[in-house]
Amino acid sequence: MHARVWWIKGLGMAIVVVAGWLLLATRYPSSEWASWGFFLLLAAGFSLFPITFGLSVLSFNLSVFVALFAQYGWPVTVWAGITASLLDQLKRCHTWRHWLVRQSLTATSLLAGAGAYHACRIVAEPVLPHPRWLALVAFGLTVAGMQAGVRRALSRSRRPQGALVSRVQLWAAVVTLFSVLVGLLFAMVRPHLGLLGLVLIAVPAGSAWHAFRLYAQLWYLHHQLQRLGTVTGQIAAELNYDRTVRAIGDAVRQLVEHDVWGLYVVDKLSGWLEPVIVEKANGQPLSLQELAVWQSASQLFQQHLHRRDPVVLVRDDIGSAMPDGTLAALCLVPLVHEEETTGMLVVGRAHTTAFSRVEEVFLGIIASEAVVAIENALQFRHTERRSRVDELTGLLNFRTFEALLEKAVERAAERGERLSVVLLDLDGFKWLNDTFGHLAGNEMLKKVAQLLRENVRREDVVARLGGEEMAVMLPGVGLDEAAEVAERLRRAIEQRAVITVHAMDRGQPVSVRITASFGVATYPDVATSARELLRYADRAMYLGAKHRGRNRVAVYGRV
C-alpha cells in the first residue's frame, strides 16, 4: 500500500480509538479501562488472523462483541467493532468507498444486534426466568447473519460455486456458534472473576481458534489443489482454440475469486499485446466504456510483458492506466513458451484485498498450462486447416468438397431446393508447365483461384479437385442460373487470367493467358446424389466443352 494512504488510515484509526476512549471514559469508571484494553487486543488479534477461504473471511470477533455488549451495552461495542475493522483495513487495498461501507456495515450490524437483543428480552421476559442469555444469543446471531448476508450480496458475482460454498457456509455457522458460546462465557465470568477470569478463558479459546484456523486453512488449500488438478487437466485436454480459451476462464473462476479477467496474446508483427477475451467473473462481456479502459491499460501490461513471475499491482501501481478506479488490484501473469513470452493472463479485483501468494502460484500454474494448450490448439487448427485446404491456392481440397457436397445434397432434399455444381478444367495447362515451368503453372492456378472467389457468392463453395481441375458448388441455384454463373466465370478467366513469366529458353518477360472449359449439372434435375452431380458435371465438361473446342460452357442434358 502507498505510504500516504497507510498513514491516513493509521491516523484515522488513532482518532477513532482516542476519541472513543475519551467519550466513553466520561460514562464508565477507570476500573473498566483495563477490560476495554483487553477486549480491544482480542478483537485486534482476531481481525489480523482470520480464517480466509479466498475472499470469504471468518473472524472470531463476535465473541468479543457479545461479551462487550453484555457488560457495557452498544456504545462500547460499536466503538470496539469499528476500531477492529479499521485495523483490518490497514493491511488491505480497499477503495475509500469500500472502506466506509465496511465501517458502516460493522456499526449497522452491531446496532441491529442491539435491537434484536432488546426485542428478544421484551418477548421472552414474561416467559423465561433469565431471558438475558437468550437475548445475547439473538444479538450474536443477528450481527453474524446481517454481516454475512450483506457481504454475500455485495460480492455475489465472485462467490465460488458448488461444494465449496456450502462447506464455507458450514464453517461460518460453526465459527458463529463457537463465537457466541465463548462470548457468553466471557459475560458470565467477568462479573465474578474480573480480568483474571477473562484471561483464563481467552488463552484456551485463543489456542482453540488458532488450531481451528490452521485446520480450516489446510482444508481449503487441499480443496483448491484438487480443483487445480481438475481444471488444468481440462485445459490440457482441449484442442479446439475457442474451447481452450473458455477452459482457461473456467479455471480462473474456480480457483481465484475476481471481478474481471482477460487473456492477451503477443502480435508477432508489432510485438504488442492483443486481447483474445476480456470478461467479467460471471461470464458477461464488458461494456464499451469498460473495454475502452482495458484497452488504455494495455500499455501498463506491456511494461511487465517480459517478466517471468506473476506481478501484483495495487491501486497506486495501476494509477492513471485505469482512470475509472474500479479495480483495486491486478495480477499479471506472462505466458512463456520455450523462453519466449507469447501472451499474458490478467486478473483484476475491485474493492477487495490484493492477491495472496497462493493465488499467485495458482495463476502461474494455470498460465503454464494455458500457454501449452494454446500452442497445441493453434497447431491443431493449422494441421486441421492443412487437411481441408489446398496449400497452393487456398481453396478447399477434394475430400472436404466431397463431404460438403454430400451434406448440401441432403439439405437440398429436405428443403426441396436445387443445387448445382460447376466443374472447370484449364485449357492448355500442360503446355504452360512445359514451356514456362511449374512455377508459372502454380502462379496461374493461384490467379484462377482468386478470380473464382471474387466472382461467386459468399455461400458458394470453391475447391481445387486436383491438378488444373476446380469446382464451384452453388446452393439454391437451378440449371439455367448455374450456366450463367459458369459463363461469367469463363469470361473472367479469359479476360483476366494473365501472368507475366520468363520463358525457359529466353530471358524476356512474356504475358501468358489461359482459358477454361466448364461443365454444369444440377440436383435434382439431372442427378440424384452427390456422386452423380460430380460425374455428370465432369462428363459435360469433357464431352460438351473440351471435345468441342474448349473455352466454353456445357450443361449436362443439353450436350
Side-chain angles (χ1 to χ4, degrees):
M1 184 185 299
H2 195 276
R4 182 174 63 87
V5 177
W6 194 94
W7 281 109
I8 290 174
K9 289 188 177 182
L11 180 62
M13 178 180 172
I15 292 173
V16 170
V17 172
V18 174
W21 194 289
L22 292 175
L23 289 173
L24 295 172
T26 62
R27 182 174 178 179
Y28 297 96
S30 58
S31 59
E32 301 292 338
W33 292 2
S35 296
W36 294 356
F38 173 78
F39 281 121
L40 200 60
L41 287 175
L42 277 183
F46 293 143
S47 293
L48 291 175
F49 301 101
I51 298 175
T52 56
F53 300 103
L55 297 183
S56 301
V57 179
L58 305 181
S59 174
F60 200 44
N61 272 335
L62 185 60
S63 62
V64 176
F65 299 153
V66 171
L68 282 173
F69 185 79
Q71 189 69 29
Y72 303 108
W74 68 265
V76 176
T77 309
V78 171
W79 167 69
I82 292 178
T83 302
S85 184
L86 281 168
L87 181 63
D88 177 58
Q89 302 305 307
L90 287 177
K91 64 177 183 177
R92 303 178 188 271
C93 57
H94 295 308
T95 62
W96 287 105
R97 183 177 62 180
H98 189 68
W99 193 49
L100 292 174
V101 168
R102 290 289 297 273
Q103 313 317 316
S104 301
L105 174 60
T106 300
T108 305
S109 62
L110 290 172
L111 292 174
Y117 170 84
H118 291 296
C120 187
R121 288 203 66 168
I122 293 172
V123 172
E125 201 150 31
V127 181
L128 299 176
H130 300 288
R132 179 170 180 262
W133 304 111
L134 179 62
L136 284 174
V137 173
F139 167 82
L141 295 180
T142 301
V143 172
M146 185 173 177
Q147 290 189 354
V150 173
R151 287 172 180 166
R152 189 176 299 115
L154 291 175
S155 57
R156 184 172 299 168
S157 66
R158 299 191 309 265
R159 293 295 102 187
Q161 302 297 321
L164 179 60
V165 67
S166 59
R167 191 64 181 268
V168 170
Q169 290 172 349
L170 178 61
W171 286 114
V174 171
V175 169
T176 298
L177 293 177
F178 186 51
S179 300
V180 171
L181 291 176
V182 173
L184 292 176
L185 192 58
F186 277 135
M188 292 177 184
V189 169
R190 170 70 179 81
H192 303 289
L193 298 179
L195 185 60
L196 178 61
L198 295 179
V199 173
L200 291 176
I201 295 174
V203 171
S207 300
W209 169 254
H210 182 63
F212 183 73
R213 176 174 173 269
L214 289 178
Y215 175 75
Q217 297 294 120
L218 288 174
W219 170 83
Y220 178 70
L221 184 59
H222 174 70
H223 183 276
Q224 292 298 83
L225 287 172
Q226 286 182 320
R227 275 188 165 187
L228 180 64
T230 301
V231 297
T232 52
Q234 291 171 346
I235 293 174
E238 289 293 349
L239 286 176
N240 178 272
Y241 184 80
D242 294 332
R243 289 199 297 268
T244 298
V245 172
R246 189 57 53 192
I248 296 169
D250 292 339
V252 173
R253 261 187 292 275
Q254 292 189 50
L255 287 170
V256 179
E257 295 184 63
H258 61 284
D259 291 277
V260 63
W261 80 282
L263 182 66
Y264 290 75
V265 296
V266 176
D267 183 270
K268 293 185 177 180
L269 295 178
S270 65
W272 278 87
L273 287 168
E274 297 292 340
V276 175
I277 183 173
V278 180
E279 64 180 14
K280 298 178 182 178
N282 57 11
Q284 296 298 316
L286 272 63
S287 65
L288 293 177
Q289 182 179 1
E290 291 169 327
L291 280 174
V293 171
W294 275 77
Q295 188 66 29
S296 67
S298 60
Q299 292 185 358
L300 174 65
F301 305 156
Q302 195 78 23
Q303 295 173 10
H304 301 277
L305 182 60
H306 297 292
R307 299 282 292 270
R308 289 295 182 263
D309 298 319
V311 179
V312 175
L313 306 177
V314 295
R315 181 172 304 278
D316 300 291
D317 301 317
I318 298 170
S320 60
M322 289 189 165
D324 64 339
T326 56
L327 291 183
L330 281 171
C331 187
L332 313 180
V333 190
L335 304 180
V336 182
H337 181 67
E338 296 180 352
E339 301 300 321
E340 180 184 359
T341 302
T342 60
M344 180 174 285
L345 178 65
V346 181
V347 183
R349 282 178 177 168
H351 317 314
T352 187
T353 57
F355 294 87
S356 67
R357 180 58 185 160
V358 172
E359 290 172 324
E360 291 180 42
V361 171
F362 282 170
L363 287 174
I365 294 173
I366 292 174
S368 63
E369 291 291 336
V371 68
V372 175
I374 290 173
E375 291 296 325
N376 289 341
L378 291 174
Q379 185 64 36
F380 179 77
R381 175 192 284 181
H382 179 67
T383 303
E384 186 180 40
R385 186 180 185 279
R386 289 182 62 183
S387 68
R388 299 174 60 248
V389 175
D390 174 63
E391 288 189 52
L392 177 64
T393 60
L395 302 179
L396 297 179
N397 59 27
F398 174 73
R399 183 175 61 181
T400 305
F401 181 80
E402 187 178 37
L404 291 176
L405 183 61
E406 290 177 355
K407 292 180 181 179
V409 168
E410 293 176 2
R411 189 162 53 249
E414 292 173 359
R415 299 176 181 179
E417 297 177 346
R418 283 178 164 75
L419 173 69
S420 296
V421 169
V422 176
L423 291 189
L424 65 130
D425 187 88
L426 300 184
D427 301 326
F429 187 75
K430 184 177 182 305
W431 169 83
L432 176 65
N433 273 337
D434 293 342
T435 306
F436 300 102
H438 289 281
L439 291 179
N442 291 343
E443 191 68 26
M444 184 62 78
L445 288 173
K446 289 190 284 186
K447 182 67 175 180
V448 172
Q450 179 184 350
L451 290 172
L452 293 179
R453 281 192 294 257
E454 292 175 354
N455 286 276
V456 296
R457 303 171 303 175
R458 179 175 297 181
E459 61 267 30
D460 297 334
V461 179
V462 185
R464 180 187 178 194
L465 304 187
E468 66 271 26
E469 191 169 313
M470 301 181 189
V472 181
M473 181 172 65
L474 305 171
V477 175
L479 201 61
D480 293 334
E481 189 179 350
E484 293 175 2
V485 172
E487 179 59 27
R488 184 172 69 246
L489 294 175
R490 187 198 66 78
R491 288 197 302 269
I493 293 173
E494 182 182 37
Q495 297 169 5
R496 299 171 54 194
V498 183
I499 61 172
T500 302
V501 295
H502 290 78
M504 291 186 290
D505 57 347
R506 56 186 183 273
Q508 294 297 323
V510 178
S511 293
V512 178
R513 295 178 178 272
I514 204 166
T515 60
S517 299
F518 289 78
V520 181
T522 300
Y523 170 91
D525 296 17
V526 297
T528 58
S529 66
R531 286 186 176 277
E532 285 187 358
L533 262 179
L534 288 175
R535 184 167 66 249
Y536 293 160
D538 187 68
R539 187 176 298 176
M541 180 182 67
Y542 278 101
L543 297 180
K546 285 283 188 184
H547 292 177
R548 296 188 179 185
R550 302 180 180 181
N551 189 24
R552 62 182 62 201
V553 175
V555 178
Y556 186 82
R558 300 178 184 175
V559 177

